[in-house]
Amino acid sequence: MLLIQRSSDPEEILLGEFDVIAAGAIPWRIEDGELQVLVIHRPRYDDWSWPKGKLDPGESIPECAVREVREEVGLTVRLGIPLEATAYTVNSKAKVVYYWAAQLANGAEPSVDGNECDEARWVGAKQAKSMLTNPTDSLPLDDLHDAHLAGQLETRSFMLVRHAKAKPRANWTREEGQRPLAATGRRQALAVARLLECWQPEHVATSPWLRCLQTITPYVTAHDIKPKMVNSMTEHAAQRKPEKTVKSLGKLLDKVRSQVLCTHRPVLPLILPLISARAPQAVRKLLPTADPFLEPGGTIVLQQPAGEHERIVSIEIHAPFAD
C-alpha cells in the first residue's frame, strides 16, 4: 500500500520505491506585494535548503513536514498545496523528500536553535533559487512560484475521510447506524486526528452514523468543534436519494473553507465524480475509480484557491494508519 499519492508528483515518484522517506515545507508570505520564502542554513551540511527531515517511527509524512518546520525554525504551520517531491541517492540508498507550501502571516519570524539550523532568511523566490545548495531543492520552489503566478497558492483545504474500521457488518444485529468502530478503528481515529492537525480544518461535517462520529471525535474534541450532521451522507440516504447526497457535497465545496467531511464507502462513488469535475485532468487522474475507493480511515485532501469554489488545484490521498 502506498503511504501517499499526490497530484504534484511525477510518475517516477508515484511509482518509485524508496529506502529513506523525508518531508518538509516551504514557508511563504507576501511582504509589500512580493512573494517571499524562508530558506535555512544547516551547519551540519553547510548548505542552504528548506526545513525538512526524516520520518519518526509511526509518523505520517505530513506530520513529519509540520514537525520539521516547528523544530528547525520554531514555527507552527498549516499545510497548503503539495509541491513536487525530490528524489536522489544518499549512501547508495534511494531517498525521497515530500514538500508542501505553508503560508505564514506577515510578522511571523523564525527562531533557530543553532543546532539543526543556525540561520533563516525571508527572501524573494529568485534570490532563494540562487542560494539553494542542492539543485533538486529548486523543484518545489518552482512549483510554489508557478502556483503564485497562477493565483493558486493561497488555498483552503477540503478533506474527505472514509470512516475508520468498524465492527464487522455480519456480526452486527442491531441498527446499522449504531454499528461502532472496531478496536483497530479506534486507533485509526486517533491517527486521523493527527493527520487532520496538519491542515487544521476549522469546520467538520459528517454522516450522523456512529462509526463516522467516532472517527472524527478525537479531532473535534481536541478543538472543541461542533460537527455538522449531514443526513444525506449516510449509506441509506445515498442509496435512496443519491442526487441529494451529491448536492450536499456541492454545497460544502462551495463554501471554500478549511473543512473535513467524514462519510462511508458506498457514498464515495457518488461524490467523487463531482470532485473530478472541478479539477483539471492532470489533477483528477489521481482520484480512485474502483471499489473500495478508500480504505477505512483513508483520507483525500483537496486544495481550493481562496474564493474559487469551482476549482480544485491539487489532490492528495493518504493511506490509513495500520497496526
Side-chain angles (χ1 to χ4, degrees):
M1 181 191 303
L2 293 172
L3 293 176
I4 187 173
Q5 300 176 70
R6 311 184 311 163
S7 58
S8 60
D9 296 328
E11 192 170 280
E12 56 266 28
I13 297 292
L14 291 170
L15 301 179
E17 295 184 6
F18 301 97
D19 304 302
V20 180
I21 299 176
I26 302 182
W28 68 273
R29 69 183 184 186
I30 303 297
E31 186 76 16
D32 296 327
E34 179 193 28
L35 172 68
Q36 294 186 340
V37 294
L38 189 69
V39 293
I40 67 169
H41 183 263
R42 302 183 300 173
R44 179 182 177 185
Y45 304 102
D46 189 23
D47 69 354
W48 287 95
S49 187
W50 311 115
K52 62 183 177 183
K54 291 184 288 188
L55 270 64
D56 283 346
E59 185 177 51
S60 70
I61 296 172
E63 287 176 81
C64 175
V66 172
R67 175 182 56 77
E68 287 293 336
V69 175
R70 183 177 63 249
E71 290 180 353
E72 295 191 355
V73 294
L75 295 170
T76 299
V77 297
R78 174 188 295 186
L79 300 182
I81 60 170
L83 304 172
E84 184 172 343
T86 62
Y88 46 92
T89 301
V90 179
N91 297 326
S92 300
K93 292 184 177 181
K95 180 177 180 178
V96 63
V97 186
Y98 294 95
Y99 289 100
W100 282 264
Q103 183 178 10
L104 291 173
N106 288 354
E109 294 297 338
S111 174
V112 300
D113 63 10
N115 295 320
E116 290 191 62
C117 168
D118 62 358
E119 188 176 355
R121 294 184 195 173
W122 284 110
V123 297
K126 184 176 181 179
Q127 182 179 349
K129 192 164 186 174
S130 69
M131 293 173 65
L132 294 170
T133 304
N134 189 336
T136 60
D137 283 350
S138 293
L139 296 175
L141 175 61
D142 290 342
D143 252 9
L144 186 146
H145 189 242
D146 289 346
H148 171 63
L149 295 178
Q152 299 177 1
L153 186 53
E154 183 180 353
T155 58
R156 303 291 180 267
S157 305
F158 186 99
M159 309 181 69
L160 178 62
V161 178
R162 179 183 169 186
H163 68 74
K165 187 174 179 60
K167 288 191 174 182
R169 199 182 299 260
N171 298 341
W172 187 254
T173 57
R174 284 172 278 175
E175 183 182 351
E176 179 62 17
Q178 292 302 309
R179 184 157 59 95
L181 295 182
T184 296
R186 292 195 295 272
R187 292 189 287 273
Q188 285 180 330
L190 295 173
V192 167
R194 294 193 298 270
L195 188 67
L196 294 180
E197 288 288 349
C198 299
W199 290 271
Q200 300 170 30
E202 298 165 353
H203 302 272
V204 176
T206 181
S207 157
W209 283 11
L210 182 59
R211 51 191 179 272
C212 284
L213 288 173
Q214 289 182 328
T215 298
I216 51 90
T217 288
Y219 182 79
V220 298
T221 299
H223 292 271
D224 195 25
I225 296 174
K226 184 178 181 180
K228 176 182 175 61
M229 306 297 173
V230 186
N231 292 325
S232 59
M233 287 294 167
T234 68
E235 288 186 27
H236 288 174
Q239 183 179 24
R240 294 166 184 163
K241 295 184 178 180
E243 69 284 351
K244 189 172 182 180
T245 300
V246 176
K247 186 176 180 180
S248 294
L249 175 66
K251 287 182 177 179
L252 291 173
L253 288 171
D254 287 349
K255 294 182 183 296
V256 191
R257 63 187 185 186
S258 177
Q259 60 184 322
V260 57
L261 168 65
C262 185
T263 189
H264 308 262
R265 179 193 57 78
V267 176
L268 296 176
L270 295 176
I271 62 178
L272 286 175
L274 177 57
I275 292 172
S276 177
R278 297 193 181 196
Q281 171 61 26
V283 172
R284 67 172 178 259
K285 67 182 181 181
L286 196 65
L287 285 170
T289 57
D291 195 42
F293 303 98
L294 281 176
E295 297 295 331
T299 302
I300 297 176
V301 181
L302 316 172
Q303 294 291 340
Q304 299 174 277
E308 295 188 45
H309 66 271
E310 292 292 344
R311 280 207 298 165
I312 292 168
V313 297
S314 69
I315 291 174
E316 308 171 41
I317 302 176
H318 297 270
F321 167 84
D323 288 332

